[in-house]
Amino acid sequence: MDAGLRFAVLGPVRAWRGAHEIELGPPQQRAVLAVLLLAEGSQVLSSGLIAALWGTSTPVSAPGVLRTYVHRLRKALEPSGETAKSVLCSTGDGYQLATSPEQLDLSAFRELIARGERARRAGDARGAAERLREGLKLWRGPALAGVRGEYARNQRRRLDELRLSAEEARITAELDLGAAVEVTAQLTGLVAEHPLHERFRELLMLALYRSGRQAAALATYREARTHLADELGVDPGPDLQSMYQRVLRADDDLLAPPIPAEAESHPERASVRDRASVHDPDCVPERASAAAAVSASAVALSAVPAQLPASLPVFVGREAELAEVARLSRGRTVVISAIAGTAGVGKTAFAVNWARKVAGSFSDGQLYLNLRGFDPASPPVTPDHALRTLLESLGADGRGLPQDTDALAALYRTVLNGKRVLVLLDNARDAAQVRPLLPGAPGCLVIVTSRDRLSGLVAVDGAHTLRLDVLSVPEARALLARRLGSDRVEAEPDAVDEIIARCARLPLALAVTAARAATRPTFPLTVIATELRDSLDAFHDGDTAADVRAVFSLSYRSLTPDAARLFRLLGLHPGPDLTLPAAAALAALTLPNTRRLLAELVGANLLEESVPGRYASHDLLRAYAAELAEEAVPAPDTRAARHRMFDHYLHTAREALALTVQAQALIPLPPPASGVYVEEFSGDIAKATAWFASEQAVLLAAVEQAAAHGHDAHVWQLAWTLAGHLHRCGLWREQEAVHHTAMAAVRRLGDRAAQAHVHRGLAWAMGNLERHEEARAHAELAVELFLESGDLEACGDGYCTLSWVAEQQGDLVTSLDIAQRRLELVRTLDGPDVHDRRRRRALASALNAVGWFSALLGRHEQALTHCGQALALQQGLGDDVNEAHTYDSIGLAHRRLGRYEQAVAAYHEAVDRYRRGHVPTFMARALVSLGETYLEAGRPEAARAAWAEGLAIMDQLGHSEAEALRDRWNRVTSSDNRKD
């Protein structure tokens, strides 16, 4: 077999000749190669290949299609055209692809695992762990990723079992080396992924016990017993039961053995490491300084985050609790403190005060995140949303973050490794919401507040729990004295005692009452106390009762009529916060009047300005406002207020979209309702982008609320405005969810034209989630419905989506055909509006698409012609991103024609424009293409420089292709070093 060829199946199916990756074609063609590679040099009958590709639904044309795939693979693997010498041979009624362990990652993986087992049997735990780690590093994701069908699923399961066996052996070796603390987090993740795998649970119990967490080890067994009984109706196996009994009686033999002495050196180690390095760049023995620079952590802190809210100036008491938690932040281990208590007891104030006191010990930053676990209008923040927010706070670009929650959590732990960071997680729902947000290495402090007791976090994760009770009477008196002045409090001790009793010593109730008393300085406190006697329904939470509605009602009744009306209407807002224009739309008031009323609500402690220009309130107050709205606002007024609010967000979002997605056709909207203020951006793209980021949570919640209350037109229109932002941010699951909600709405409306827009949004989301067949179906339906409705501008956008989906499927001929249809359609729309800037952008985009697909299909001169026309239209439009796309296409065409100077110039233009347009993902890809061009032109040093810059961006984004690029960078560097 050609010694320059290498293959990978432990992840996406890939192939390389030397440093150059080979284009393997569409998924079915890759599947043929996968079947041949898994045979590891043995013959595969044609019938077997056909069965693997099509299963029981074999088309009549299958033999001919198979021969076509084999022919194309031979051409790809033997670019010289001498197919007679191809490594892919015909053998009787089948085919054979000879591989050696050095050329297939699966073979290298098996050999490393076997050597690890031999080292284990020889008593060399360190050597075993090293071999197993080297083998597991060869995995780049799920085996055969991207290959579809029953055969691929079965093989994927088989290979995954091999991986899990290797993980089990590696963790066993790591435990033998005394690394119990380090493997606990890994085992927790493996147990969560494979809850019926008893050996992982057994190892987790052992790791927890050796880490000094006997209670957590026992809790792990109880959880396993419950899960096995619920899922399979069986008890744990004898090994797991034996581990439970040994942990229960604190068996001394379970303690970690001493680290064995390093076994005598084995001659095979170097050869194994060399063999693994064919597939794993991390196995290169020495890296040049440049390599070390580009292999920095995936996310670099651009600025030290300091997100802690301000401490309350009137914080009082809690000395005993503060003394109890002070010791927790002194160590070097990961410390988790769970602060629980009823709503309004002051959990957040206490946590912030403590965090502020110790912030100086955490030099790498302090993070704050409200998890909204008990929010009356918004669902709890999901772990993946929380991880994205935290990673972005640490410097990551959200557009390049992975989609999978486990991958996000792993990246988060990697970023925090070796750092001193304080993380304050406020208002958590439960332990499951918090667990993915915990760092994995020493040096961090995590503070969690919740109404839940978080017993799971205490039992499994070793959290220190602190439950805050209501204030003592002296502390409550001190709080009132701080707010009202000592003289006033001391003058009426009986009234103060009654106020404290009526407020149940709840800090929130005391604060609201004190604010009301402070605004009425001439009122005796006996009057305030008397008014508190007419209480409303008691508010119950857990085992602590607190009567706060009476307090809220008194503050509410003290408002001016206009402020009281605004407070009620704020109960209709979906949350989590709102701006002045949104509040003005709800109330149909001018901005100055609304600003005055908001200030009154802030002064009464019924609202707070959490950040400049954004207003929020405590969840109990929001629930209270919602109750008032339901009781006191007539149904027609409620519907009108919601309509105005949705109109504000819809029309403002459309204005922002017009700036941030400049080549897309805009949907027509009816004028906004009277009293609606639409925010303007004055052509400022950055301002429009920032607005979407600030309002993302509100817009997503607004879609759901609009659906719940029958505002179906707003539902799909808001989803349409959100699509571009969610696409740029890589929030594919959110895009899918919001468009599913929109689809239900347009079906209720019976609006087929609106259905077309929703199908297009679903096609984008599912295509990016690699559900290509579903994406194709939605894209085709979108085009069909656009044509049916006669909306030709939108149909052009539909063709754009459909051609992109076809490209994801490897169907380039269809992609080009659709792109040409789009171009013809857009040209018919020019007419008298040829000077319209949006039309010019759409036409330029269509021309570039034809150029791009032409270049991919080898029609390079045709590509350059179309791209040149696109570039001429784009001049003067100020659309850096679409210009960059065009230059990227031009670079590809010149490169494939061997015109390297022109290709380099085009790629530099693309990189500059992507940089100006703040699109780092596309910029990184252009730098990769620039490096490939330099390499083909015989300029390896320039290639390495381009790749180093691209790799730095990918690392910062946590990009999935970073490792593959690092692999190529290292090989080119090693090749140059050998030449030197």
Side-chain angles (χ1 to χ4, degrees), residues 551-867:
V551 177
F552 293 159
S553 68
L554 289 172
S555 294
Y556 167 69
R557 291 203 300 268
S558 72
L559 297 171
T560 61
D562 286 345
R565 173 178 175 267
L566 177 60
F567 181 71
R568 291 192 299 271
L569 292 174
L570 291 179
L572 304 177
H573 191 273
D577 56 10
L578 82 168
T579 59
L580 170 63
L586 267 171
L589 296 172
T590 64
L591 293 181
N593 281 341
T594 307
R595 184 180 289 109
R596 175 178 55 80
L597 297 177
L598 288 171
E600 183 178 346
L601 293 175
V602 171
N605 274 344
L606 291 172
L607 203 64
E608 62 176 296
E609 193 171 5
S610 51
V611 297
R614 301 195 72 85
Y615 298 87
S617 61
H618 187 279
D619 50 7
L620 289 181
L621 286 169
R622 287 174 56 199
Y624 178 65
E627 291 176 2
L628 289 175
E630 184 176 357
E631 295 169 0
V633 182
D637 292 350
T638 295
R639 185 165 184 85
R642 283 201 174 103
H643 185 97
R644 291 191 301 270
M645 174 183 68
F646 295 144
D647 263 8
H648 159 73
Y649 286 118
L650 174 62
H651 284 270
T652 304
R654 187 180 186 273
E655 291 296 314
L657 179 74
L659 289 172
T660 56
V661 184
Q662 298 188 5
Q664 179 177 310
L666 301 177
I667 61 172
L669 294 177
S674 176
V676 172
Y677 179 83
V678 180
E679 297 185 53
E680 298 178 354
F681 303 99
S682 304
D684 189 334
I685 297 174
K687 185 178 179 183
T689 302
W691 182 87
F692 268 124
S694 298
E695 300 292 350
Q696 175 183 300
V698 178
L699 291 169
L700 290 170
V703 171
E704 299 303 322
Q705 191 188 82
H709 294 283
H711 295 261
D712 286 337
H714 282 109
V715 173
W716 81 263
Q717 290 164 348
L718 282 167
W720 176 85
T721 62
L722 261 171
H725 166 73
L726 297 176
H727 176 73
R728 285 195 309 276
C729 294
L731 299 174
W732 316 127
R733 288 187 173 85
E734 288 81 355
Q735 187 175 359
E736 179 188 10
V738 82
H739 280 84
H740 277 311
T741 302
M743 184 60 75
V746 294
R747 284 174 175 160
R748 288 192 294 267
L749 291 169
D751 188 339
R752 290 173 65 80
Q755 285 182 36
H757 289 286
V758 179
H759 278 301
R760 179 171 180 263
L762 283 169
W764 275 110
M766 292 179 177
N768 281 297
L769 290 170
E770 297 185 357
R771 289 152 55 187
H772 297 129
E773 291 181 4
E774 295 175 78
R776 183 91 171 236
H778 282 292
E780 288 172 348
L781 275 171
V783 170
E784 179 183 329
L785 290 171
F786 282 136
L787 290 171
E788 176 187 297
S789 67
D791 190 345
L792 298 184
E793 280 192 85
C795 186
D797 294 333
Y799 279 138
C800 175
T801 304
L802 183 55
S803 64
W804 173 78
V805 171
E807 180 188 1
Q808 303 309 301
Q809 295 180 301
D811 191 355
L812 297 178
V813 173
T814 300
S815 293
L816 178 58
D817 178 63
I818 296 168
Q820 288 171 330
R821 274 187 271 166
R822 176 193 177 199
L823 177 57
E824 292 169 6
L825 176 62
V826 174
R827 277 176 167 156
T828 65
L829 296 173
D830 270 343
D833 295 321
V834 69
H835 298 299
D836 178 81
R837 296 172 70 85
R838 187 165 290 274
R839 288 276 182 82
R840 284 175 60 193
R841 290 187 180 100
L843 178 56
S845 175
L847 284 163
N848 177 51
V850 172
W852 171 254
F853 293 125
S854 297
L856 290 177
L857 287 167
R859 305 171 189 178
H860 306 307
E861 295 297 346
Q862 176 181 323
L864 290 171
T865 299
H866 283 85
C867 291

Side-chain angles (χ1 to χ4, degrees), residues 407-441:
L408 286 166
L411 177 60
Y412 171 71
R413 292 191 296 270
T414 300
V415 172
L416 291 182
N417 186 44
K419 292 185 170 61
R420 294 279 293 171
V421 175
L422 186 154
V423 184
L424 174 49
L425 303 173
D426 198 14
N427 194 12
R429 180 74 183 183
D430 50 31
Q433 185 189 28
V434 172
R435 192 165 287 120
L437 313 181
L438 301 179

Side-chain angles (χ1 to χ4, degrees), residues 393-416:
S393 299
L394 291 165
D397 188 310
R399 290 168 290 191
L401 293 175
Q403 299 297 314
D404 181 68
T405 301
D406 290 342
L408 286 166
L411 177 60
Y412 171 71
R413 292 191 296 270
T414 300
V415 172
L416 291 182

Side-chain angles (χ1 to χ4, degrees), residues 3-8 14-22 140 274 276-284 286-288 291 932 935 940 943-944 947 951 962-979:
L5 284 173
R6 293 181 299 111
F7 299 93
R14 302 166 69 188
W16 298 264
R17 178 178 294 280
H20 300 284
E21 184 166 359
I22 299 170
R140 303 298 183 191
D274 291 343
S277 70
V278 172
H279 300 281
D280 189 349
D282 293 331
C283 291
V284 176
E286 297 289 334
R287 293 191 181 191
E932 289 169 344
L935 194 63
R944 289 202 306 272
W947 285 350
L951 188 54
E963 285 305 314
L965 180 57
R966 184 174 286 111
D967 187 6
R968 297 171 70 185
W969 193 96
N970 286 325
R971 285 199 304 275
V972 172
T973 301
S974 299
S975 175
D976 280 1
N977 289 341
R978 285 195 296 270
K979 291 176 182 177

Side-chain angles (χ1 to χ4, degrees), residues 392-605:
E392 288 172 4
S393 299
L394 291 165
D397 188 310
R399 290 168 290 191
L401 293 175
Q403 299 297 314
D404 181 68
T405 301
D406 290 342
L408 286 166
L411 177 60
Y412 171 71
R413 292 191 296 270
T414 300
V415 172
L416 291 182
N417 186 44
K419 292 185 170 61
R420 294 279 293 171
V421 175
L422 186 154
V423 184
L424 174 49
L425 303 173
D426 198 14
N427 194 12
R429 180 74 183 183
D430 50 31
Q433 185 189 28
V434 172
R435 192 165 287 120
L437 313 181
L438 301 179
C444 295
L445 169 65
V446 182
I447 304 173
V448 187
T449 73
S450 178
R451 295 186 204 174
D452 187 85
R453 292 179 183 271
L454 300 176
S455 55
L457 211 62
V458 176
V460 177
D461 301 282
H464 301 267
T465 184
L466 174 70
R467 182 165 181 81
L468 288 184
D469 201 350
V470 295
L471 297 174
S472 67
V473 171
E475 289 173 334
R477 192 183 300 277
L479 187 152
L480 291 174
R482 286 276 188 92
R483 289 179 176 265
L484 301 176
S486 298
D487 292 343
R488 190 176 181 188
V489 169
E490 291 171 1
E492 297 183 74
D494 292 340
V496 168
D497 287 344
E498 183 173 359
I499 289 172
I500 291 171
R502 294 289 176 185
C503 290
R505 292 179 286 134
L506 192 70
L508 175 64
L510 288 163
V512 175
T513 302
R516 183 168 179 274
T519 61
R520 303 162 73 186
T522 60
F523 278 40
L525 292 182
T526 52
V527 174
I528 304 296
T530 301
E531 292 173 338
L532 286 174
R533 293 170 188 170
D534 298 324
S535 62
L536 300 177
D537 297 337
F539 176 80
H540 295 279
D541 181 73
D543 59 0
T544 304
D547 184 356
V548 297
R549 284 187 174 84
V551 177
F552 293 159
S553 68
L554 289 172
S555 294
Y556 167 69
R557 291 203 300 268
S558 72
L559 297 171
T560 61
D562 286 345
R565 173 178 175 267
L566 177 60
F567 181 71
R568 291 192 299 271
L569 292 174
L570 291 179
L572 304 177
H573 191 273
D577 56 10
L578 82 168
T579 59
L580 170 63
L586 267 171
L589 296 172
T590 64
L591 293 181
N593 281 341
T594 307
R595 184 180 289 109
R596 175 178 55 80
L597 297 177
L598 288 171
E600 183 178 346
L601 293 175
V602 171
N605 274 344

Side-chain angles (χ1 to χ4, degrees), residues 296-315:
S297 61
V299 180
L301 289 174
S302 55
V304 175
Q307 299 179 344
L308 295 178
S311 294
L312 286 176
V314 293
F315 183 87

